[in-house]
Amino acid sequence: MLEGALGRSPGQPKLLNAIGLNRLAARDPSAAAATFRQAVALDPAAAPLWLNLATAQRLLGDAEGQLESLERSLVIDPYLLPALVQKAQLLEQSGDRRALATYGAVLNIVGDNTQIPPGLADVLRHARRYIAADQARLAQSLSISLRDLRGQVADAAASRFDHCVDVVLGRRRVFYPQPTGLLYPGLPVAEFFARDMVPWLDRLEAATAMIIDEFRALIDQGAADFVPYVDIAPGIPTNQWEDLNRSPEWSAFFLWKDGERQAGACARCPATAAVLDALPMLDLPGRGPAAFFSILRAGAHIPPHTGVSNVRAVVHLPLIVPPDCGFRVGASTVQWRPGKAFAFDDTIDHEAWNRSDRDRAILILDIWNPYLSDTERALIAALTAALDAHAMRAV
């Protein structure tokens, strides 16, 4: 045989591989498998050789040998995509539930890559359908299994449980705080805070009509005092803010800014200022609170982003909200409703949009993260003051 005459030169496994591939092309999987076995015996650490052997075994109908060869290749290279695809297909054919995880690994490796060969694109579509079908069966099973007990629990009391089920079923992604500045560890992760954690929201909502009247008066006087919310200095990368930097598409009228009460602005909106003065807002001199009227122009979009620190939470009081306006925090999307306030963690990825033909207006203010104790708030204020003092010192 030709293979026997090759000796043991360093290139012999490569030559055997070429011979095996030729035999596959000639539709002789038995001879190809024998050749690939010689190749892996000489170079057992070469993952492609094991993959080629698995391909020959697949053509021979040797499912057990094929799976063993695929697993040998994946031990060497866990990211060898053709081996993962072939393994997923083999497991699916045999009804082995490990196919779900294997198809999932294929999808994770490909990720958001848009340069997908046509053949692989078909595999990816099938993988998504296969996983989705299993999730649909699981959803139906869970609905039946949990129906009686879940039906006895109010939606508000089971919100975290429902979130958990959605994650299990792949309906929701899991988002975590990603502040651009200070991260305070150990705080529970909440996209939106429960109303009982911000018990004074009712008081804020009760003032909605007065606040809207003062906002409209500002607009009637002209929008010159509304400034672009995004104002990045020249020379600094704008990244996702390219379209909104120094743009009136998202503008603000500040009543509090960087922890300082804006006396002139508050004098023009005395009822709104009085409401804010009575609320337990964030208290970090030089940093916060901020409190402002926010206008998002018709057709504008605030891109996904995260805030500075999870020691604060942000409250929205919707004032003027046309249809087709929305707001997403993490995996949760809400529609603003005039007069219905809520608090959220803005260090979780979030975005907003106004797809209507009219402007949207809300009142925004900073508060402490409700999970912080009074002692922690005092310590954080001292830490922030010390950090700011250090930053002011000459190097």
Side-chain angles (χ1 to χ4, degrees):
M1 294 177 62
L2 177 61
E3 293 90 330
L6 291 174
R8 288 187 171 272
S9 66
Q12 186 177 0
K14 292 182 179 179
L15 184 54
L16 287 168
N17 185 53
I19 295 170
L21 292 173
N22 285 334
R23 288 175 171 171
L24 279 180
R27 300 184 180 180
D28 189 354
S30 180
T35 306
F36 290 132
R37 286 193 186 93
Q38 286 183 289
V40 296
L42 293 173
D43 189 3
L49 297 179
W50 287 105
L51 173 60
N52 290 340
L53 174 57
T55 300
Q57 291 166 321
R58 174 169 58 84
L59 295 173
L60 290 170
D62 179 9
E64 184 177 348
Q66 179 191 356
L67 183 58
E68 181 181 352
S69 296
L70 289 170
E71 289 179 341
R72 290 289 294 269
S73 71
L74 291 168
V75 166
I76 299 165
D77 183 359
Y79 297 94
L80 187 58
L81 196 57
L84 281 169
V85 169
Q86 196 176 136
K87 180 180 177 181
Q89 293 169 336
L90 175 61
L91 292 172
E92 179 186 357
Q93 290 167 7
S94 62
D96 191 321
R97 287 191 59 80
R98 288 179 296 169
L100 292 163
T102 311
Y103 275 130
V106 170
L107 294 173
N108 286 336
I109 289 174
V110 174
D112 297 326
N113 188 349
T114 58
Q115 303 299 317
I116 305 296
L120 181 57
D122 291 340
V123 171
L124 299 180
R125 281 191 289 271
H126 175 77
R128 294 188 184 99
R129 288 195 298 266
Y130 184 75
I131 293 172
D134 184 74
Q135 289 173 335
R137 289 190 294 270
L138 176 59
Q140 183 177 20
S141 175
L142 290 179
S143 176
I144 295 170
S145 300
L146 301 172
R147 180 174 51 209
D148 292 343
L149 182 58
R150 176 61 184 85
Q152 299 171 26
V153 182
D155 288 347
S159 61
R160 286 190 296 186
F161 174 79
D162 291 342
H163 190 161
C164 172
V165 172
D166 284 343
V167 171
V168 168
L169 294 174
R171 293 170 176 166
R172 295 179 67 168
R173 286 177 54 195
V174 177
F175 289 82
Y176 297 99
Q178 294 181 303
T180 60
L182 179 67
L183 171 67
Y184 197 84
L187 296 177
V189 177
E191 296 170 346
F192 292 89
F193 295 98
R195 282 187 70 91
D196 59 6
M197 300 200 70
V198 194
W200 46 263
L201 287 180
D202 290 344
R203 279 191 284 140
L204 176 61
E205 292 169 342
T208 299
M210 290 189 306
I211 295 171
I212 290 177
D213 287 344
E214 292 189 335
F215 169 77
R216 291 189 182 279
L218 288 175
I219 297 300
D220 290 342
Q221 296 164 18
D225 295 311
F226 281 78
V227 298
Y229 182 79
V230 180
D231 187 6
I232 300 172
I236 297 176
T238 53
N239 298 321
Q240 75 266 39
W241 301 115
E242 179 71 24
D243 292 337
L244 287 179
N245 189 34
R246 302 187 176 183
S247 167
E249 292 295 288
W250 183 19
S251 59
F253 180 87
F254 285 92
L255 299 160
W256 284 76
K257 187 175 183 181
D258 298 330
E260 293 187 7
R261 193 176 191 272
Q262 308 298 295
C266 287
R268 295 173 62 184
C269 306
T272 304
V275 171
L276 293 174
D277 290 342
L279 297 179
M281 294 196 293
L282 182 72
D283 183 14
L284 291 174
R287 302 286 190 100
F292 56 96
F293 291 113
S294 168
I295 295 177
L296 188 63
R297 299 295 184 194
H301 174 228
I302 300 173
H305 64 286
T306 59
V308 176
S309 175
N310 65 335
V311 303
R312 75 172 183 182
V314 177
V315 171
H316 282 187
L317 175 65
L319 304 175
I320 300 172
V321 186
D324 297 323
C325 290
F327 185 60
R328 177 191 63 81
V329 181
S332 302
T333 298
V334 300
Q335 304 297 317
W336 286 290
R337 290 189 291 155
K340 193 67 174 177
F342 57 79
F344 68 98
D345 181 350
D346 81 328
T347 65
I348 294 175
D349 183 88
H350 62 288
E351 64 180 321
W353 55 90
N354 179 359
R355 298 177 183 139
S356 77
D357 57 0
R358 290 181 287 147
D359 295 345
R360 178 233 66 182
I362 59 178
L363 178 68
I364 298 178
L365 58 139
D366 295 338
I367 64 173
W368 288 103
N369 186 310
Y371 286 107
L372 291 168
S373 67
D374 290 342
T375 299
E376 287 177 308
R377 295 176 186 184
L379 289 169
I380 291 168
L383 170 63
T384 302
L387 291 171
D388 289 343
H390 178 79
M392 293 296 292
R393 296 192 188 104
V395 178

